[in-house]
Amino acid sequence: MTPLSPVEWAVVALSLKVSGVAIALVLPVSFGLAWLLERTRIPGKVVLDALVHLPLVLPPVVTGWLLLLAFGANGPAGRFLHDAFGITLMFRWTGAALAAAVMALPLMVRAIRLSLEGVDRRLEVVARTLGAGPWRTFFSVTLPLAMPGVLAAMVLGFARSIGEFGATITFVSNVPGETRTLPLAIYTALQVPGSEAAVTRLALISVALSLAALVASEWLTRRGKNGGRRHVL
Amino acid sequence: MSFDIDIAIHRGGKRIAARIESASRVVALFGPSGAGKTSILQMIAGLLPPESGHIVISGEVLFDSTAGIDVPPEKRACGYVFQDGRLFPHRRVRENLLYGWKLAPPERRWMALDVAVGFLGIAHLLDRMPGTLSGGEAQRVAIGRALLSGPRFLLMDEPLSSLDAARRHEIMLLIERIRDEMEIPILYVSHDRSEVERLAGTVIDVG
């Protein structure tokens, strides 16, 4: 099989950039939401939980359309970003990153929530009696114990972002070099007769990336179980 | 007066109350499981707010419902030894021992790491992870961690109950030495009459 062409390499690089930015964007948000859902007693938690999970069950094209309504040129969020910061998301890779972030959000919130649930809260109590305030307790006990789960969530979210298609193509279209990520490039190649080799190459890269992410995520989860062993006596 | 405590709380429809006025070095709370002994220790440590009353230890007011005083747990300087050790699983023994020591203001650190390590006989464990320790070893480290945090008093919640007989004897000897050699009031919780009689100057019945 022939190696990747420069254009195909650019597609892979763009996909990695879009997903990397998406995860960086969505990680603090997911952690905050996971914390709210797992550790606090706020009213309307059921509704918040449902909203967080919406991108998981909605047709991605609907999520993309909703993003278009909110962040498009005439959408309230889109207009605000443009007027206040000069940022446009439409037809730009940043918009693709936002779509990927939204689609990765439910998966990441779920995974981080599970890892927080696994933290033995009695250890936080110990830290308090030893002189640590709530913040120090969080950074020295809760976060390190939840860390393998948080990393696994990041890897999982990253893999989801790499594969994102429906919301992206609806929201920011299929612009070569700007929003044409791996799945969009495969879709585009499929429309052109005689490009089976290109499709195969890109698809193989997709499979490799996804497999690597799943293995990494599984490995991190297992490691977390051993490291965070509750057995102390 | 080491302990001047009068607190009450309702949990699960049951009233849990304790009145402790004693100058003894060791005061024991004695009673069957489920009598609320641990809740009393939690109130004293600041982990559970009493509904009413006061907690004064060695002249320091930690809680007073009428005066509106409620010192947060991290400022109470209590050395809490739990039944199940509760070492931080992600930190080595040395880091567990120094966790509270580093957080204590220098003038409150009355014990140095090497002194504590020698006293407890745990020098060979310093670089181990807690998951690899036996029950007796883990409890020694837990006691060391509490002593090194510069506590003004110790709370011990059935520290022997999850150990076998031989380990129990060893840790009991250690606790007696803490009582006899260190100037620190101890509140000791147990459901074992012989432990309590051997250790404590005052025994309070709970439940």
Side-chain angles (χ1 to χ4, degrees):
Chain A
M1 188 163 31
T2 49
L4 289 187
S5 72
V7 172
E8 287 162 358
W9 272 119
V11 165
V12 174
L14 175 68
S15 276
L16 293 175
K17 177 169 82 169
V18 164
S19 296
V21 168
I23 295 310
L25 195 74
V26 81
L27 179 66
V29 179
S30 318
F31 196 94
L33 286 168
W35 185 273
L36 277 179
L37 291 170
E38 178 58 32
R39 288 296 186 93
T40 61
R41 276 187 230 161
I42 46 163
K45 215 154 116 170
V46 181
V47 177
L48 182 65
D49 201 14
L51 278 176
V52 164
H53 280 88
L54 213 50
L56 199 64
V57 290
L58 268 183
V61 65
V62 174
T63 306
W65 177 69
L66 290 173
L67 284 172
L68 205 53
L69 287 186
F71 290 91
N74 294 317
R79 195 171 296 165
F80 170 76
L81 283 177
H82 180 80
D83 294 347
F85 306 102
I87 297 175
T88 316
L89 298 177
M90 292 292 294
F91 308 114
R92 304 294 305 278
W93 71 271
T94 42
L98 178 66
V102 169
M103 296 304 289
L105 181 80
L107 274 181
M108 292 193 49
V109 172
R110 283 176 81 88
I112 294 173
R113 201 176 161 181
L114 271 179
S115 73
L116 282 175
E117 203 182 276
V119 172
D120 188 348
R121 299 187 67 173
R122 298 175 311 163
L123 293 171
E124 298 172 353
V125 167
V126 176
R128 295 298 297 277
T129 68
L130 288 169
W135 284 103
R136 190 180 293 274
T137 300
F138 173 77
F139 282 108
S140 66
V141 178
T142 317
L143 193 56
L145 289 175
M147 210 41 166
V150 173
L151 289 177
M154 282 175 70
V155 175
L156 210 61
F158 188 79
R160 177 67 188 81
S161 303
I162 292 271
E164 169 34 40
F165 179 81
T168 307
I169 202 165
T170 312
F171 178 38
V172 289
S173 185
N174 186 1
V175 183
E178 191 68 39
T179 69
R180 184 172 292 169
T181 55
L182 211 41
L184 275 70
I186 294 173
Y187 172 77
T188 309
L190 275 171
Q191 311 298 305
V192 183
S195 57
E196 287 78 12
V199 171
T200 309
R201 285 194 297 272
L202 292 171
L204 279 176
I205 291 181
S206 280
V207 172
L209 283 174
S210 307
L211 264 182
L214 283 177
V215 170
S217 153
E218 184 66 17
W219 179 74
L220 285 164
T221 312
R222 274 166 200 268
R223 213 182 60 139
K225 280 202 184 103
N226 295 336
R229 196 151 53 137
R230 285 170 193 197
H231 165 87
V232 257
L233 274 183
Chain B
M1 183 85 84
S2 304
F3 296 98
D4 174 9
I5 296 168
D6 187 0
I7 42 176
I9 195 173
H10 287 83
R11 297 211 94 184
K14 205 173 93 176
R15 182 170 190 270
I16 296 166
R19 196 178 166 145
I20 306 166
E21 282 172 28
S22 171
S24 301
R25 187 70 66 74
V26 178
V27 173
L29 294 179
F30 174 77
S33 310
K37 302 189 295 294
T38 298
S39 297
I40 293 167
L41 284 197
Q42 286 175 338
M43 287 192 272
I44 295 168
L47 304 170
L48 184 68
E51 281 157 15
S52 62
H54 62 266
I55 299 168
V56 183
I57 296 176
S58 301
E60 187 135 359
V61 183
L62 300 179
F63 179 85
D64 191 328
S65 58
T66 47
I69 298 171
D70 185 7
V71 178
E74 63 269 24
K75 299 260 162 61
R76 291 197 181 192
C78 73
Y80 203 141
V81 179
F82 300 87
Q83 187 176 341
D84 50 355
R86 294 197 202 177
L87 300 179
F88 299 123
H90 58 303
R91 290 165 175 256
R92 294 186 184 282
V93 166
R94 184 194 306 276
E95 293 160 353
N96 264 281
L97 288 169
L98 288 174
Y99 187 91
W101 188 85
K102 286 180 181 159
L103 292 173
E107 67 275 10
R108 231 186 55 210
R109 297 171 187 159
W110 50 263
M111 200 176 216
L113 178 65
D114 52 347
V115 177
V117 165
F119 176 79
L120 297 160
I122 51 174
H124 59 297
L125 303 176
L126 286 176
D127 291 318
R128 298 257 295 268
M129 292 304 278
T132 69
L133 301 181
S134 71
E137 289 170 338
Q139 200 53 289
R140 279 170 192 264
V141 175
I143 291 172
R145 182 176 63 176
L147 289 174
L148 282 166
S149 69
R152 288 190 281 253
F153 58 99
L154 289 179
L155 302 175
M156 296 188 150
D157 190 358
E158 311 226 15
L160 310 182
S161 66
S162 53
L163 304 176
D164 61 51
R167 279 344 112 214
R168 202 174 286 193
H169 179 67
E170 286 173 17
I171 302 289
M172 178 56 109
L173 291 178
L174 274 179
I175 296 172
E176 281 179 330
R177 281 188 61 199
I178 294 172
R179 175 191 65 190
D180 300 336
E181 295 170 25
M182 301 174 192
E183 297 268 320
I184 183 164
I186 302 174
L187 198 60
Y188 188 95
V189 158
S190 178
H191 64 274
D192 184 315
R193 175 64 78 179
S194 64
E195 261 176 43
V196 158
E197 280 172 354
R198 182 168 160 188
L199 271 178
T202 307
V203 178
I204 312 266
D205 284 291
V206 181

